[in-house]
Amino acid sequence: MTLRERLREKISAAFYHHGLLCASYPVPIILFTSASILTCCYPLLRLPLPGTGPVEFTTGVRDYTVPSHEPQGDLGERPDWYRGPPVAYIQQVLVKAAVSPWDSSLVPVDVFRSPLGRVFSLLEEIRNHVHSDSTGVRSLEALCLQVTDLLPGLRRMQSVLPEHGCLLVSPGNYWQNQRELFDSDPDPLKTIQKHEPKGLHTSATLRDLLFGVPGKHTGVSHYNRKRVVTYTITVVLVSYDTRFLGSLRSRLKQLHPSANCSLRDDHMVHVHFKEEIGIAELIPLVTTYIILFAYIYFSTRKIDMVKSKWGLALAAVVTVLSSLLMSVGLCTLFGLTPTLNGGEIFPYLVVVIGLENVLVLTKSVVSTPVDLEVKLRIAQGLSNESWSIMKNMATELCIILIGYFTLVPAIQEFCLFAVVGLVSDFFLQMFFFTTVLSIDIRRMELADLNRRLPAEAGLPPPKPGPLRPREAPPPPRPSPHTITLQTPAFRNLRLPKRLRVVYFLARTRLAQRIIMVGTVIWIGILVYTDPAGLRTYLAAQVSEQSPLGDSGGGGLPPHLGVAPVFHAGDPTSTLSVLPAPEPTPLPENQSQGHHGSAGAGPRPQVPPAVPQITWGAEDEEGWRRLSFRHWPSLFSYYNITLAKRYISILPVIPVTLHLSPQEAIETRHPQDTRHPPPPIPKVSADLQTDLTLYKVAALGLAAGVLLVLLLFCLYRVLCPRNYGQNGVAHGRRRRGDLPCDDYGYSPPVSEISPLLLRGHSMDIECLASDGMLLASCCLAGQIRVWDAQTGDCLTVIPNHGLRRSSSSGCWEQRDGWDSVGGATEPECLGSDYLLRRRSVPARPTLFTDQPDLTPLIDTNFTCQPPSHLATPPRGGFDFGGLVERAYLEHESPSLGDAPTLPAQDRASTAGTQATADWDSSVWAMELRGNLIAAGRSSGKLELWDAVEGSLRCSNEDGVSGITALAFLNNRIVAARLNGSLDFFTVEINKPLGLLQYRGAPGRGSMPPSPCYSSEDVISCQLTRSVQCAHQKPITVLRAAAGRVVTGSQDHTVRVYRLEDSCCLFTLQGHSGGITAIYIDQTMVLASGGQDGAICLWDVLTGSRVSHVYGHRGDVTSLVCTTSCVISSGLDDLICIWDRSTGIKLYSIQQEVGCGASLGVISESLLVTGGQGCVSFWDLNFGDLLQTVYLGQSSDGQGVRQLLVLDNAAIVCDFGSELSLVYVPSVLEKLD
Amino acid sequence: TTSNINGTTNLVIRGTMLFSVGVFLALVLNLLQVQRNVTLFPPDVISSIFSSAWWVPPCCGTASAMIGLLYPCIDSRLGEPHKFKREWSSVMRCVAVFVGINHASAKVDFANNVQLSLTLAALSIGLWWTFDRSRSGFGLGIGIALLATLATQLLVYNGVFQYTSPDFLYIRSWLPCIFFAGVITMGNIGRQLALYEYKVVQEKTHQD
């Protein structure tokens, strides 16, 4: 254990120093890291680019031996794939046949029928060829590649391709290699055409496979002007036997001599094929990549509280990707050639390595105290997470080690890559990402500084900035002062950084340009490195132009793999990069004429009288003109892959067949003559190629459109809406632009309409409610009492004098409450309060025209479970969730809202209020029962009767202004500006000796408050005054569960017992003044300070439960539900934390300067005040449910205070008006 | 009644999403398995893959929908809501690892079937440990995996279904592990989706 602790300490210290280092020298470290990444990736340059074609290597035939498996030392240019025997040797017999001399009695079918017919005898010859010498007798059967079944999916090719025997393909396969079938075939062309695929084909077709030459060069058509038919017989051999092949060659040459043939036969070409990615392989690959991107997206979305989210997300991805590249590079460097398909295992490697560490690191660093230096923050954040990072890393390494011992080579290789990747990822995290993070944090702090500076610059130092209203409670100043606020419009123009980046990208089309440039470069490299590409072409050019260059045939070194079309000796082909290959090199003029006909349209052409069979250099390697998928597809039909293997192509055996017209006529089928003459010989192959090109282009376009649509759909599916992370959409929402839910259903606007309570002449300063009544106080000092149900103004208490102007209707309503209170009396009997049925006041029958509200209220009360009413006022035991919640809803916003008064408001209007008595301005107000407790700036505490509007008593013991009040049971706690705390007891001397007890209103979970009748004589006694409760002014005062909690500028929170005013705990933990406190019945206390920290305390023990940094700047408001803590800060962020673990669940970015008022209506419904509106949020997901606009002018004042009433209504101030918003659905749900 | 209807629609939506995910994964993973036997696809084979045993992907989809709905249901029944790593990034990681397990079973050559079985079992348990860690998840996974393997065996014995590979033991050695990993994965997705149902219900009640 001690060892572990020591280890932990050491690791932590090491990380701390490392963090200091990284944050101190960011630029050198980033340079160093980039250099090491580049160094490690350097070996990757040797790996081939993706997308290049097969690679060739040429050796001589004469001294050919099968290469050994072991890599041999200095073999010069021998490529490293040239090891071991090839998959197969390909021997092609190239047949050129023509009917000569041609005479006019022949029909077009004769051009190919009899030449094709000769294939069967040739096949016989090849099959039966036997070479016997001293070493034994060899036949084709022994040497050829024996194939078994075709793939199951290729049943329809069964009749055409050989099965269970030698792999020997020729055009004869169309007729099962039987002469009789061919002879009885009325239309050979149709037979050939029958097997062609219907749609567009890009790879090798069956016709290409069987003929062995590209389709249009076979000459098997009705429009063959040259009347030469070309085809091959392809023999696939599994072993190489020089003598057998030599005897076959000489035998065929002897039988069918090619007079003018000068084909070289001394080179064999080995063709190595790359990894094949077909569409079927592509689907799983694409799927894994989609999953990978989804993973990256969902991970990086969690990065929060940083200056540039995108930048950090990019850095995280770069970290992981470059660590993988480094891993591959290092493995290659140390001689480990990757045998796995890199593209396939890459997503899994990313998933294994993961982005978690990076996220943890970010979170840890941003949750360090903001007032620390950046260096120290980084160091502290690193050292906080050091243990978990090391532990995770050790675990992962262990798992991978276990994987290594599976002894499966592929898994071992994967594990090796993963280990190296993990280590390099750790390295990059420590050096690269940490440094980037430190730069980001530094930038963020600079930006914060800039944001606050303009506002504070024009002010004298003691005055609080406009955005920090609660830095200090305002001292009583006789002179009015003004603070210039930034106009809201100006503040709204400050776009979020993210948005600005996006706009910048959109404006400059940066992404498109980068992609375009990248694509051009890639294509350029491909063209340059392609075997048939630019490099060869350039080489050819150079060799041709240089006088030393060999201009003869085959002048280039064969291993360069010169495509025949670029042959140095052909002057036409050197002119263009990709000229159309010519079928046979006819005399020069004719060849060019053929070219011209393709380009210049129809031109009468005289067919040559005698078809002449010529052999040119391009026949030497005729297979080059085939698709490079030709051989792989031939082998794939038999489930043999050529990927990463090679085949050896032997020099072709030329066979020339001259057939007499007589023979052609003899072999005719009776139907042949009935064929119509060739209709239009203009449909040239070139045109067909063009059509194919168009088709490809159209298909490509369609595919592109489809892809865009698909991506769009994917985007909609993946992020149907913002999850409270991005406040941009919320912030820019305009009036009437209501959010839609998943089903496109927008809640009707009319459903929640605010009820405006007008009457105050100036801005409302204090707001208090006990659920049934609502008291508000404006800057003019006027107190108004409203009915929280109907919004009627009940009483107006003017600033001067005690004149009561009671607009009524209240009496009748009081009756309603009283009767209800009577009905619930039995439940309250157990409490130690005296209960009395309140006598009907003297003015009961005055206003009979008022609506009878009794049934409405009745419903509210009688449906309550009795237990709620019997809730004792305080207790140390655990209350149910409902109790707590209801208590919270009722209590938290109403208590001590007074100190949250923005100083500037009070100040800005002070000038206009010159006549008003400054001393008598109300700074704090509370409402319990029908008593309004008002704390004045003069230090006077007044108790008013809310119904009658009469001053019941006042206490002038203190002289310092009362900044906050708490009214609980019969006690009033007043916090004063000088840091003292006064405890008052309200004593009621009842003439009848009875105190009427009003039943708890609404859901009734609050401690029942006494109801004072007008006959009572109420006195307010100062029971205790704690003179130096805090060294600095008290900013927050909250009371619940028999405790009074104060927060002060002196960074401490104190907990007092309400009964005996005894200080229980002094809670230290904040590094700034306390700005917000929340306490509820379950004795959970949350406090937020100017340092942006939120502490959760246990009031019973005084211990700190958790401590998190959530905001940049002050925490302005705190609310709790049973499961989470909600905080809002000066950074316009609302954060939702898990209450038990202190983990941030998510945050909501709000509009700039949107106010800080929060309220919780139910367990999952949060309400926030904004600029002229209130917004409802779903707490479970952080979704904006609805925004209710309070007034007509959208640029109205922000909602600064917000109370949640018991009947699920909320009250908020809106300039000089109060706004009552009912949330009907919540009420229904609770009922 | 409105909330009832909402609940039903919600269930249907979730079921549909799970179904489509299941079908998609079945197709992709089937393709992976086919690749083991067919190293290179000629163009004609693909169509035959999609046409052969057409009922397999829908079956997988139905099963995954059922599993995905069952998991959150069981969680709520047991009264222990699953709180471990409830994030989409974690779910995505889980799916990726599941595909990876399939990939490994399809592409990696093992010396013998015991080794294959052991490796896959270790991977599957690791998947459960990394992404689930709930006892109910483990139990359900084991149960469904056994049932599904049994059902497949029965189908094969009755000749309804045929393994493409002649090596019978090979398939039998990976099938239960793959089923287990699949159940865990679908349960993970289902739980994550179930988080949204709550939200929708809430929204509806607010609008009512």
Side-chain angles (χ1 to χ4, degrees):
Chain A
M1 199 58 197
T2 49
L3 181 72
R4 189 169 166 233
E5 290 295 322
R6 271 218 307 277
L7 193 66
R8 192 171 173 162
E9 235 166 64
K10 282 231 170 94
I11 288 175
S12 177
F15 271 69
Y16 190 86
H17 290 304
H18 177 78
L20 278 183
L21 177 79
C22 282
S24 308
Y25 307 102
V27 178
I29 285 181
I30 284 198
L31 286 179
F32 163 71
T33 323
S34 316
S36 42
I37 292 175
L38 288 180
T39 318
C40 290
C41 293
Y42 176 72
L44 291 179
L45 287 182
R46 276 188 279 168
L47 294 180
L49 269 176
T52 47
V55 188
E56 293 168 14
F57 177 63
T58 308
T59 55
V61 169
R62 204 146 304 157
D63 51 352
Y64 172 77
T65 50
V66 177
S68 62
H69 278 286
E70 288 74 35
Q72 285 151 350
D74 49 337
L75 285 167
E77 60 226 0
R78 173 175 290 198
D80 50 358
W81 49 261
Y82 185 60
R83 277 183 219 155
V87 178
Y89 299 90
I90 309 275
Q91 176 66 67
Q92 282 191 308
V93 178
L94 182 58
V95 180
K96 290 193 175 193
V99 179
S100 71
W102 185 262
D103 65 37
S104 51
S105 68
L106 296 172
V107 292
V109 185
D110 292 329
V111 172
F112 54 84
R113 181 176 273 277
S114 55
L116 276 182
R118 293 290 285 271
V119 75
F120 300 103
S121 57
L122 270 172
L123 276 174
E124 279 302 295
E125 185 63 42
I126 292 169
R127 275 185 194 282
N128 298 335
H129 183 79
V130 171
H131 172 76
S132 56
D133 62 359
S134 54
T135 54
V137 179
R138 291 180 197 82
S139 69
L140 189 68
E141 273 308 305
L143 293 174
C144 75
L145 181 73
Q146 300 284 341
V147 291
T148 53
D149 284 327
L150 279 169
L151 273 184
L154 296 168
R155 303 272 175 236
R156 60 181 185 81
M157 288 201 177
Q158 246 170 354
S159 59
V160 188
L161 286 173
E163 273 189 306
H164 303 289
C166 272
L167 182 54
L168 189 140
V169 288
S170 69
N173 283 77
Y174 280 120
W175 299 276
Q176 280 88 50
N177 292 332
Q178 289 167 27
R179 177 82 200 219
E180 300 78 41
L181 284 177
F182 177 71
D183 284 340
S184 57
D185 188 355
D187 192 352
L189 263 187
K190 202 174 157 193
T191 311
I192 293 169
Q193 208 63 44
K194 194 173 70 185
H195 291 282
E196 290 304 293
K198 293 288 180 295
L200 203 72
H201 47 271
T202 49
S203 64
T205 62
L206 188 66
R207 179 180 173 142
D208 288 351
L209 284 180
L210 296 188
F211 276 88
V213 285
K216 56 182 174 177
H217 298 156
T218 55
V220 183
S221 78
H222 291 301
Y223 322 117
N224 184 1
R225 284 189 295 266
K226 292 189 287 287
R227 304 204 175 95
V228 177
V229 172
T230 312
Y231 55 89
T232 61
I233 300 168
T234 306
V235 188
V236 181
L237 303 165
V238 77
S239 59
Y240 182 73
D241 189 308
T242 326
R243 276 167 290 209
F244 173 79
L245 286 173
S247 78
L248 179 68
R249 178 179 292 268
S250 53
R251 167 79 180 155
L252 286 176
K253 276 189 170 175
Q254 180 198 343
L255 281 176
H256 311 282
S258 306
N260 50 0
C261 175
S262 60
L263 296 188
R264 294 186 312 156
D265 53 1
D266 52 349
H267 282 111
M268 63 198 293
V269 182
H270 312 279
V271 184
H272 179 255
F273 292 92
K274 288 284 166 51
E275 195 75 46
E276 278 289 337
I277 298 185
I279 188 150
E281 287 92 345
L282 218 56
I283 291 171
L285 200 66
V286 168
T287 312
T288 51
Y289 273 90
I290 287 173
I291 295 171
L292 174 71
F293 282 122
Y295 167 63
I296 290 178
Y297 167 74
F298 284 121
S299 299
T300 52
R301 214 178 57 166
K302 288 189 286 185
I303 294 181
D304 213 355
M305 298 256 318
V306 290
K307 172 77 182 156
S308 153
K309 226 172 145 170
W310 285 85
L312 273 192
L314 186 71
V317 173
V318 163
T319 305
V320 172
L321 293 195
S322 45
S323 72
L324 282 179
L325 285 182
M326 279 171 81
S327 153
V328 178
L330 286 175
C331 287
T332 331
L333 188 67
F334 291 115
L336 250 164
T337 42
T339 56
L340 292 175
N341 186 341
E344 259 174 27
I345 63 165
F346 175 76
Y348 303 123
L349 277 175
V350 172
V351 165
V352 163
I353 290 175
L355 292 166
E356 267 68 14
N357 262 354
V358 169
L359 302 181
V360 163
L361 220 58
T362 313
K363 206 173 152 185
S364 161
V365 168
V366 297
S367 60
T368 50
V370 279
D371 50 351
L372 285 181
E373 213 182 324
V374 176
K375 241 193 265 189
L376 297 177
R377 284 187 72 185
I378 296 284
Q380 203 172 322
L382 268 185
S383 75
N384 281 349
E385 285 302 326
S386 61
W387 185 243
S388 75
I389 287 179
M390 290 311 279
K391 220 164 56 179
N392 277 344
M393 173 126 172
T395 322
E396 281 183 339
L397 284 180
C398 270
I399 290 174
I400 290 171
L401 215 64
I402 292 170
Y404 195 78
F405 286 110
T406 51
L407 302 177
V408 181
I411 292 183
Q412 275 180 327
E413 192 182 327
F414 180 88
C415 290
L416 204 65
F417 276 123
V419 166
V420 182
L422 264 182
V423 173
S424 45
D425 185 53
F426 180 71
F427 166 76
L428 286 183
Q429 272 166 19
M430 285 300 110
F431 283 94
F432 176 71
F433 189 78
T434 312
T435 318
V436 170
L437 192 62
S438 79
I439 292 174
D440 185 88
I441 300 270
R442 201 185 304 268
R443 279 180 58 215
M444 185 178 79
E445 297 206 338
L446 282 178
D448 272 8
L449 210 64
N450 287 337
R451 197 163 100 167
R452 284 186 186 172
L453 219 53
E456 286 169 3
L459 299 174
K463 290 182 189 170
L467 284 175
R468 315 191 58 160
R470 295 203 273 129
E471 217 156 42
R477 263 182 294 245
S479 63
H481 54 279
T482 55
I483 292 172
T484 47
L485 265 173
Q486 274 181 304
T487 60
F490 174 59
R491 275 182 289 175
N492 284 349
L493 274 178
R494 256 188 64 97
L495 295 176
K497 180 86 178 169
R498 267 174 295 163
L499 210 62
R500 274 186 287 169
V501 168
V502 170
Y503 283 167
F504 172 75
L505 287 182
R507 211 168 45 235
T508 55
R509 307 246 182 318
L510 208 61
Q512 290 98 312
R513 284 179 189 176
I514 288 175
I515 291 170
M516 221 164 66
V517 168
T519 316
V520 165
I521 290 175
W522 186 59
I523 290 174
I525 291 175
L526 279 190
V527 165
Y528 185 72
T529 55
D530 197 64
L534 198 62
R535 190 167 58 179
T536 9
Y537 170 66
L538 286 179
Q541 282 280 41
V542 167
S543 71
E544 190 196 47
Q545 280 169 3
S546 74
L548 298 174
D550 186 359
S551 58
L556 287 169
H559 65 263
L560 265 178
V562 188
V565 285
F566 298 132
H567 201 279
D570 190 352
T572 55
S573 59
T574 48
L575 293 177
S576 64
V577 181
L578 288 167
E582 292 166 88
T584 47
L586 294 167
E588 199 61 40
N589 55 352
Q590 196 173 343
S591 154
Q592 298 218 332
H594 176 65
H595 263 283
S597 74
R603 194 171 107 184
Q605 198 160 26
V606 186
V610 179
Q612 196 173 0
I613 296 171
T614 53
W615 294 89
E618 62 269 27
D619 292 324
E620 205 170 275
E621 288 173 336
W623 51 269
R624 283 189 195 281
R625 286 178 298 191
L626 295 166
S627 150
F628 73 93
R629 297 263 313 130
H630 182 88
W631 302 116
S633 54
L634 175 64
F635 283 93
S636 73
Y637 288 144
Y638 299 97
N639 202 7
I640 300 168
T641 178
L642 292 186
K644 294 188 168 178
R645 295 158 86 186
Y646 77 100
I647 55 169
S648 300
I649 297 171
L650 305 173
V652 293
I653 302 172
V655 168
T656 310
L657 298 173
H658 286 281
L659 296 104
S660 63
Q662 194 61 38
E663 192 182 348
I665 290 166
E666 277 168 13
T667 53
R668 261 187 206 167
H669 189 271
Q671 287 196 345
D672 280 355
T673 46
R674 270 181 264 156
H675 275 293
I680 318 148
K682 296 291 164 289
V683 187
S684 62
D686 293 337
L687 193 64
Q688 232 156 13
T689 329
D690 285 351
L691 271 181
T692 315
L693 205 67
Y694 291 139
K695 273 194 228 165
V696 168
L699 270 183
L701 200 67
V705 170
L706 199 71
L707 192 72
V708 168
L709 286 178
L710 198 75
L711 281 179
F712 181 71
C713 292
L714 200 73
Y715 172 79
R716 293 302 297 269
V717 167
L718 280 183
C719 26
R721 61 162 82 194
N722 20 44
Y723 284 79
Q725 293 279 357
N726 37 358
V728 181
H730 299 154
R732 309 279 150 247
R733 181 172 288 119
R734 275 181 204 87
R735 169 182 314 279
D737 186 4
L738 289 168
C740 294
D741 61 7
D742 284 336
Y743 311 106
Y745 174 66
S746 178
V749 192
S750 58
E751 212 163 311
I752 300 182
S753 56
L755 181 64
L756 286 182
L757 314 183
R758 294 194 174 88
H760 281 293
S761 54
M762 306 194 77
D763 279 7
I764 288 163
E765 201 172 351
C766 307
L767 199 55
S769 166
D770 67 344
M772 281 317 199
L773 290 181
L774 193 63
S776 62
C777 176
C778 73
L779 280 171
Q782 189 188 51
I783 297 173
R784 275 174 180 262
V785 182
W786 316 79
D787 181 359
Q789 297 279 340
T790 59
D792 296 331
C793 181
L794 303 177
T795 319
V796 178
I797 304 169
N799 185 24
H800 40 64
L802 309 177
R803 183 170 52 85
R804 188 197 71 217
S805 63
S806 167
S807 83
S808 222
C810 63
W811 304 118
E812 198 169 302
Q813 204 162 338
R814 301 281 320 169
D815 285 346
W817 292 338
D818 292 337
S819 63
V820 169
T824 56
E825 224 172 49
E827 271 93 33
C828 304
L829 280 176
S831 66
D832 52 358
Y833 291 94
L834 286 172
L835 298 169
R836 176 180 73 87
R837 178 90 198 230
R838 187 184 179 277
S839 61
V840 176
R843 295 160 297 274
T845 53
L846 273 180
F847 300 96
T848 46
D849 55 341
Q850 290 294 322
D852 183 17
L853 298 167
T854 319
L856 174 74
I857 304 159
D858 219 349
T859 322
N860 256 351
F861 283 112
T862 50
C863 293
Q864 289 305 313
S867 63
H868 294 248
L869 294 168
T871 303
R874 74 179 75 103
F877 52 87
D878 190 22
F879 289 83
L882 191 63
V883 179
E884 181 190 332
R885 181 193 60 212
Y887 192 80
L888 162 167
E889 283 158 20
H890 182 76
E891 196 77 4
S892 61
S894 63
L895 275 177
D897 267 318
T900 67
L901 293 178
Q904 73 275 17
D905 276 5
R906 193 178 294 171
S908 60
T909 44
T912 63
Q913 197 195 341
T915 55
D917 183 8
W918 175 259
D919 286 343
S920 67
S921 72
V922 176
W923 276 4
M925 192 168 69
E926 269 299 306
L927 177 63
R928 277 291 173 274
N930 55 352
L931 275 186
I932 299 172
R936 294 201 174 258
S937 55
S938 59
K940 196 161 111 179
L941 177 74
E942 293 171 342
L943 282 178
W944 295 80
D945 189 312
V947 180
E948 296 174 34
S950 57
L951 180 67
R952 303 304 293 265
C953 81
S954 73
N955 186 306
E956 297 179 37
D957 289 343
V959 287
S960 189
I962 295 175
T963 56
L965 273 179
F967 195 167
L968 203 64
N969 304 332
N970 58 346
R971 282 174 194 272
I972 296 174
V973 186
R976 292 187 190 272
L977 202 56
N978 60 5
S980 65
L981 199 63
D982 290 349
F983 290 79
F984 297 93
T985 309
V986 179
E987 296 198 350
I988 301 139
N989 303 317
K990 295 155 285 286
L992 300 177
L994 286 169
L995 169 66
Q996 195 263 343
Y997 208 72
R998 199 176 85 195
R1003 269 161 280 139
S1005 51
M1006 55 173 273
S1009 45
C1011 198
Y1012 312 99
S1013 72
S1014 52
E1015 289 88 18
D1016 301 342
V1017 178
I1018 296 173
S1019 66
C1020 184
Q1021 301 291 327
L1022 178 66
T1023 47
R1024 174 144 188 243
S1025 175
V1026 182
Q1027 270 314 320
C1028 246
H1030 286 280
Q1031 269 84 37
K1032 286 189 177 172
I1034 294 172
T1035 49
V1036 207
L1037 176 70
R1038 289 283 187 278
R1043 296 285 184 275
V1044 176
V1045 185
T1046 57
S1048 157
Q1049 284 282 317
D1050 63 1
H1051 302 194
T1052 58
V1053 176
R1054 284 188 175 217
V1055 182
Y1056 293 87
R1057 194 150 51 206
L1058 189 61
E1059 292 168 87
D1060 53 2
S1061 333
C1062 164
C1063 177
L1064 298 176
F1065 305 108
T1066 301
L1067 309 176
Q1068 288 174 328
H1070 283 280
S1071 51
I1074 309 297
T1075 50
I1077 280 179
Y1078 172 85
I1079 183 170
D1080 65 15
Q1081 285 289 56
T1082 54
M1083 292 275 188
V1084 165
L1085 170 67
S1087 63
Q1090 282 174 336
D1091 53 352
I1094 296 163
C1095 291
L1096 291 180
W1097 314 85
D1098 184 2
V1099 184
L1100 289 177
T1101 61
S1103 60
R1104 190 167 71 183
V1105 179
S1106 63
H1107 178 233
V1108 287
Y1109 284 93
H1111 294 278
R1112 290 189 263 140
D1114 301 8
V1115 176
T1116 51
S1117 188
L1118 267 177
V1119 188
C1120 295
T1121 66
T1122 47
S1123 59
C1124 54
V1125 180
I1126 302 136
S1127 65
S1128 73
L1130 268 190
D1131 51 359
D1132 304 315
L1133 212 61
I1134 294 177
C1135 294
I1136 287 84
W1137 312 81
D1138 189 88
R1139 185 161 159 175
S1140 51
T1141 59
I1143 293 169
K1144 181 153 91 174
L1145 299 175
Y1146 56 89
S1147 61
I1148 301 167
Q1149 178 73 50
Q1150 282 200 304
E1151 209 171 317
V1152 178
C1154 59
S1157 41
L1158 284 179
V1160 175
I1161 296 178
S1162 73
E1163 194 63 6
S1164 61
L1165 192 59
L1166 173 74
V1167 56
T1168 62
Q1171 288 285 341
C1173 62
V1174 285
S1175 304
F1176 295 89
W1177 304 82
D1178 186 339
L1179 263 185
N1180 294 314
F1181 303 96
D1183 286 339
L1184 180 62
L1185 296 176
Q1186 188 162 4
T1187 301
V1188 176
Y1189 289 91
L1190 301 177
Q1192 290 307 312
S1193 55
S1194 61
D1195 55 350
Q1197 297 95 334
V1199 171
R1200 285 176 287 113
Q1201 297 181 51
L1202 202 143
L1203 290 186
V1204 178
L1205 305 183
D1206 292 326
N1207 51 358
I1210 56 168
V1211 181
C1212 50
D1213 67 329
F1214 181 56
S1216 63
E1217 295 166 352
L1218 278 177
S1219 192
L1220 195 59
V1221 183
Y1222 287 104
V1223 193
S1225 58
V1226 176
L1227 194 66
E1228 280 167 28
K1229 199 179 76 182
L1230 287 170
D1231 283 346
Chain B
T1 53
T2 48
S3 69
N4 244 344
I5 290 167
N6 280 338
T8 322
T9 18
N10 217 318
L11 212 66
V12 168
I13 289 167
R14 268 198 292 153
T16 320
M17 288 179 79
L18 286 165
F19 178 81
S20 46
V21 169
V23 168
F24 178 70
L25 279 181
L27 281 176
V28 168
L29 300 180
N30 187 29
L31 220 52
L32 267 178
Q33 286 298 335
V34 172
Q35 274 183 40
R36 186 181 170 83
N37 307 317
V38 186
T39 43
L40 201 67
F41 284 92
D44 316 80
V45 177
I46 293 169
S47 53
S48 63
I49 287 168
F50 286 113
S51 63
S52 75
W54 58 268
W55 47 269
V56 172
C59 275
C60 291
T62 316
S64 54
M66 275 164 54
I67 292 163
L69 295 177
L70 201 61
Y71 260 77
C73 180
I74 283 187
D75 279 346
S76 64
R77 277 289 159 82
L78 290 181
E80 36 190 49
H82 190 247
K83 293 227 165 178
F84 185 70
K85 290 192 182 172
R86 300 299 298 265
E87 290 156 342
W88 274 113
S89 63
S90 165
V91 173
M92 282 300 145
R93 219 178 174 191
C94 180
V95 175
V97 172
F98 173 59
V99 176
I101 291 175
N102 273 278
H103 204 129
S105 77
K107 285 285 176 74
V108 176
D109 290 312
F110 289 89
N112 50 37
N113 287 328
V114 177
Q115 195 183 33
L116 171 71
S117 278
L118 284 180
T119 312
L120 287 188
L123 282 173
S124 308
I125 302 284
L127 181 85
W128 170 78
W129 177 252
T130 324
F131 299 105
D132 192 316
R133 286 197 203 176
S134 67
R135 277 174 300 136
S136 61
F138 191 78
L140 206 61
I142 292 272
I144 293 176
L146 288 181
L147 273 181
T149 316
L150 201 70
T152 325
Q153 294 292 330
L154 282 177
L155 282 180
V156 172
Y157 277 126
N158 292 328
V160 183
F161 186 63
Q162 261 187 330
Y163 292 137
T164 47
S165 167
D167 186 1
F168 189 66
L169 276 177
Y170 156 71
I171 297 208
R172 220 167 30 186
S173 51
W174 61 254
L175 212 53
C177 299
I178 295 288
F179 274 133
F180 178 74
V183 168
I184 298 288
T185 307
M186 291 319 294
N188 225 328
I189 297 176
R191 280 168 169 168
Q192 193 68 30
L193 281 178
L195 270 184
Y196 284 78
E197 180 189 32
Y198 188 49
K199 178 184 72 171
V200 174
V201 168
Q202 288 267 321
E203 253 169 40
K204 290 284 173 196
T205 43
H206 291 325
Q207 286 157 12
D208 285 345

